[in-house]
Coordinates of all heavy atoms in Angstrom, one line a residue:
K282 N 94.8 73.9 171.2 CA 95.3 73.4 172.5 C 94.8 72.0 172.8 O 95.5 71.1 173.3 CB 94.9 74.3 173.7 CG 95.6 75.7 173.6 CD 95.1 76.6 174.7 CE 95.7 78.0 174.6 NZ 95.1 78.9 175.6
N283 N 93.5 71.8 172.6 CA 92.9 70.5 173.0 C 92.9 69.4 171.9 O 93.0 68.2 172.2 CB 91.4 70.7 173.3 CG 91.2 71.7 174.5 OD1 92.0 71.6 175.4 ND2 90.2 72.5 174.4
R284 N 92.9 69.9 170.6 CA 92.9 68.9 169.5 C 93.9 69.3 168.5 O 93.6 69.8 167.4 CB 91.5 68.8 168.9 CG 90.4 68.4 169.8 CD 90.4 66.9 170.1 NE 90.3 66.1 168.8 CZ 89.2 65.8 168.2 NH1 88.0 66.2 168.7 NH2 89.2 65.1 167.1
P285 N 95.2 69.1 168.8 CA 96.3 69.6 167.9 C 96.2 69.0 166.5 O 96.6 69.6 165.5 CB 97.6 69.2 168.6 CG 97.2 68.2 169.6 CD 95.8 68.5 170.0
E286 N 95.6 67.7 166.4 CA 95.5 67.1 165.1 C 94.5 67.8 164.2 O 94.6 67.9 163.0 CB 95.1 65.6 165.3 CG 93.7 65.4 165.7 CD 93.4 65.5 167.2 OE1 94.3 66.0 167.9 OE2 92.3 65.2 167.7
I287 N 93.5 68.5 164.9 CA 92.5 69.3 164.1 C 93.2 70.5 163.6 O 93.0 70.9 162.5 CB 91.3 69.6 165.0 CG1 90.4 68.3 165.2 CG2 90.4 70.7 164.4 CD1 89.2 68.5 166.0
G288 N 93.9 71.2 164.5 CA 94.6 72.4 164.1 C 95.6 72.1 163.0 O 95.7 72.9 162.1
E289 N 96.3 71.0 163.1 CA 97.2 70.6 162.0 C 96.5 70.4 160.7 O 97.0 70.8 159.6 CB 98.0 69.4 162.4 CG 99.1 69.0 161.5 CD 98.7 68.1 160.3 OE1 97.7 67.4 160.4 OE2 99.4 68.2 159.3
A290 N 95.3 69.7 160.7 CA 94.6 69.5 159.5 C 94.1 70.8 158.9 O 94.1 71.0 157.7 CB 93.4 68.6 159.8
L291 N 93.6 71.7 159.7 CA 93.2 73.0 159.3 C 94.3 73.8 158.6 O 94.2 74.3 157.5 CB 92.7 73.9 160.4 CG 91.2 73.8 160.8 CD1 91.0 74.6 162.1 CD2 90.3 74.2 159.7
D292 N 95.5 73.7 159.2 CA 96.7 74.4 158.6 C 97.1 73.8 157.3 O 97.6 74.5 156.4 CB 97.8 74.5 159.6 CG 97.5 75.4 160.8 OD1 96.6 76.2 160.7 OD2 98.1 75.2 161.8
R293 N 97.0 72.5 157.3 CA 97.6 71.7 156.1 C 96.6 71.7 154.9 O 97.0 71.9 153.8 CB 97.9 70.3 156.6 CG 98.3 69.3 155.4 CD 98.8 68.0 156.0 NE 97.9 67.5 157.0 CZ 96.9 66.7 156.7 NH1 96.6 66.5 155.4 NH2 96.1 66.3 157.7
Q294 N 95.3 71.5 155.2 CA 94.4 71.3 154.1 C 93.2 72.2 154.1 O 92.3 72.2 153.2 CB 93.9 69.8 154.0 CG 93.2 69.4 155.3 CD 93.0 67.9 155.3 OE1 93.7 67.1 154.7 NE2 92.0 67.5 156.1
G295 N 93.1 73.1 155.2 CA 92.0 74.0 155.2 C 90.7 73.5 155.8 O 89.7 74.2 155.7
Y296 N 90.7 72.3 156.3 CA 89.5 71.7 156.8 C 89.9 70.5 157.7 O 91.0 70.0 157.6 CB 88.5 71.2 155.8 CG 88.9 70.0 155.0 CD1 88.6 68.7 155.4 CD2 89.7 70.2 153.8 CE1 89.0 67.6 154.7 CE2 90.1 69.1 153.1 CZ 89.8 67.8 153.5 OH 90.2 66.7 152.8
F297 N 88.9 70.0 158.5 CA 89.0 68.8 159.2 C 87.7 68.0 159.2 O 86.7 68.6 159.0 CB 89.5 69.0 160.7 CG 88.6 69.7 161.6 CD1 87.6 69.0 162.3 CD2 88.7 71.1 161.7 CE1 86.7 69.7 163.1 CE2 87.8 71.8 162.6 CZ 86.8 71.1 163.3
D298 N 87.8 66.7 159.3 CA 86.6 65.9 159.3 C 86.0 65.8 160.7 O 86.7 65.6 161.7 CB 86.9 64.5 158.8 CG 87.2 64.5 157.3 OD1 86.7 65.3 156.6 OD2 88.1 63.7 156.9
W299 N 84.7 65.9 160.8 CA 84.0 66.0 162.1 C 82.9 65.0 162.1 O 82.0 65.0 161.2 CB 83.5 67.4 162.3 CG 82.8 67.8 163.5 CD1 83.4 67.7 164.8 CD2 81.6 68.4 163.7 NE1 82.5 68.2 165.7 CE2 81.4 68.6 165.1 CE3 80.6 68.8 162.8 CZ2 80.2 69.2 165.6 CZ3 79.4 69.4 163.3 CH2 79.2 69.6 164.7
K300 N 82.9 64.1 163.1 CA 81.9 63.0 163.1 C 80.7 63.5 164.0 O 80.9 63.9 165.1 CB 82.4 61.7 163.6 CG 83.4 61.0 162.6 CD 83.8 59.7 163.1 CE 84.7 59.0 162.1 NZ 85.1 57.6 162.5
V301 N 79.5 63.3 163.5 CA 78.2 63.7 164.2 C 77.3 62.5 164.2 O 77.1 61.8 163.2 CB 77.6 64.9 163.4 CG1 76.3 65.3 164.2 CG2 78.5 66.1 163.3
R302 N 76.7 62.3 165.4 CA 75.7 61.2 165.5 C 74.4 61.6 164.8 O 73.8 62.6 165.2 CB 75.5 60.8 166.9 CG 74.5 59.7 167.0 CD 74.5 59.1 168.4 NE 73.5 57.9 168.5 CZ 73.5 57.1 169.5 NH1 74.3 57.3 170.5 NH2 72.6 56.1 169.5
R303 N 73.9 60.8 163.9 CA 72.6 61.0 163.2 C 71.8 59.8 163.4 O 72.1 58.7 162.8 CB 72.8 61.4 161.8 CG 73.3 62.8 161.5 CD 72.2 63.8 161.8 NE 71.0 63.6 161.0 CZ 70.9 64.1 159.8 NH1 71.8 64.8 159.2 NH2 69.7 63.9 159.1
R304 N 70.7 59.8 164.2 CA 69.9 58.6 164.4 C 70.8 57.5 165.0 O 71.4 57.6 166.0 CB 69.1 58.3 163.2 CG 68.2 59.5 162.7 CD 67.6 59.2 161.4 NE 66.8 60.4 161.0 CZ 67.3 61.5 160.4 NH1 68.6 61.5 160.1 NH2 66.6 62.5 160.0
D305 N 70.9 56.4 164.2 CA 71.6 55.2 164.8 C 73.0 55.1 164.2 O 73.6 54.0 164.3 CB 70.8 54.0 164.5 CG 69.5 54.0 165.3 OD1 69.4 54.5 166.4 OD2 68.5 53.5 164.7
S306 N 73.5 56.1 163.6 CA 74.9 56.0 163.0 C 75.6 57.3 163.1 O 75.1 58.3 163.6 CB 74.7 55.6 161.5 OG 74.0 56.6 160.8
F307 N 76.8 57.4 162.6 CA 77.6 58.6 162.6 C 77.8 59.0 161.1 O 78.0 58.2 160.3 CB 78.9 58.4 163.3 CG 78.8 58.3 164.8 CD1 78.6 57.1 165.4 CD2 79.0 59.5 165.6 CE1 78.5 57.0 166.8 CE2 78.9 59.4 166.9 CZ 78.6 58.2 167.5
I308 N 77.8 60.3 160.9 CA 78.1 60.9 159.6 C 79.4 61.8 159.7 O 79.7 62.3 160.9 CB 77.0 61.7 159.0 CG1 76.6 62.9 159.8 CG2 75.8 60.8 158.7 CD1 75.6 63.8 159.2
T309 N 80.1 62.0 158.7 CA 81.3 62.9 158.7 C 81.0 64.2 158.0 O 80.5 64.1 156.8 CB 82.5 62.1 158.0 OG1 82.7 61.0 158.8 CG2 83.7 63.0 158.1
I310 N 81.2 65.3 158.6 CA 81.0 66.6 158.0 C 82.4 67.2 157.9 O 83.3 67.2 158.7 CB 80.1 67.4 158.9 CG1 78.7 66.9 159.0 CG2 80.1 68.9 158.4 CD1 77.8 67.6 159.9
K311 N 82.6 67.9 156.8 CA 83.9 68.7 156.5 C 83.7 70.0 157.1 O 82.8 70.8 156.8 CB 84.1 68.7 155.0 CG 85.5 69.4 154.7 CD 85.7 69.5 153.2 CE 86.0 68.1 152.6 NZ 86.3 68.2 151.2
V312 N 84.6 70.3 158.1 CA 84.6 71.6 158.8 C 85.7 72.5 158.2 O 86.9 72.1 158.3 CB 84.7 71.5 160.3 CG1 84.8 72.9 161.0 CG2 83.6 70.6 160.9
T313 N 85.4 73.6 157.6 CA 86.3 74.5 157.0 C 86.8 75.6 157.9 O 86.3 75.8 159.0 CB 85.7 75.1 155.7 OG1 84.7 76.0 156.1 CG2 85.2 74.0 154.8

């Protein structure tokens, strides 16, 4: 409902990329 692009990515490829703040930068985690 809130992030349809995430739902679409899950349906299409089985995961979405998720950005997390680590110290002074952001890293990307694959959420399955």
Side-chain angles (χ1 to χ4, degrees):
K282 294 177 183 176
N283 297 322
R284 299 285 301 277
E286 73 280 8
I287 287 179
E289 189 275 333
L291 273 175
D292 292 339
R293 175 170 47 84
Q294 59 193 21
Y296 71 89
F297 65 88
D298 291 328
W299 186 55
K300 288 187 177 181
V301 181
R302 182 168 181 170
R303 287 289 301 275
R304 300 171 185 85
D305 296 323
S306 62
F307 286 87
I308 62 172
T309 299
I310 293 175
K311 183 179 290 186
V312 178
T313 66

